[in-house]
Amino acid sequence: MISANKQTNERRAADRFPIERDVRYRVLSKKSGDENGIGKTVNISSTGVLFTTDKLLIPGRRLEVSIAWPAQLNNNC
């Protein structure tokens, strides 16, 4: 059961799921060239992903993110 306070304060439209996967990212920048890095997901929703990084990222930059997701074949990883 969600408390009334949480319902009022929660601004996210989608549920977040605590999934930890390896991440590779690339900061897309025309001025300074591309920067690459690695990290791990903290949680994932249908509208976004929260992940850690090995470097400080500047807010507002465009990123390309690749998440190591286990492929399934016949319902097996």
Side-chain angles (χ1 to χ4, degrees):
M1 180 174 191
I2 298 174
S3 69
N5 190 27
K6 178 157 173 68
Q7 287 178 337
T8 304
N9 293 332
E10 184 60 52
R11 297 182 307 165
R12 293 185 178 104
D15 290 335
R16 292 193 163 255
F17 300 94
I19 299 171
E20 185 177 308
R21 297 285 183 253
D22 290 333
V23 169
R24 292 185 182 276
Y25 65 89
R26 185 169 59 135
V27 179
L28 306 175
S29 174
K30 292 180 182 177
K31 293 181 182 178
S32 62
D34 293 345
E35 298 175 41
N36 298 307
I38 59 171
K40 289 208 178 280
T41 61
V42 175
N43 60 49
I44 299 174
S45 76
S46 62
T47 59
V49 59
L50 174 64
F51 63 97
T52 64
T53 62
D54 59 336
K55 301 173 188 169
L56 182 64
L57 295 176
I58 298 171
R61 288 269 180 92
R62 293 177 51 109
L63 300 176
E64 179 181 88
V65 178
S66 174
I67 300 172
W69 201 259
Q72 290 193 346
L73 178 62
N74 298 325
N75 293 323
N76 292 311
C77 287

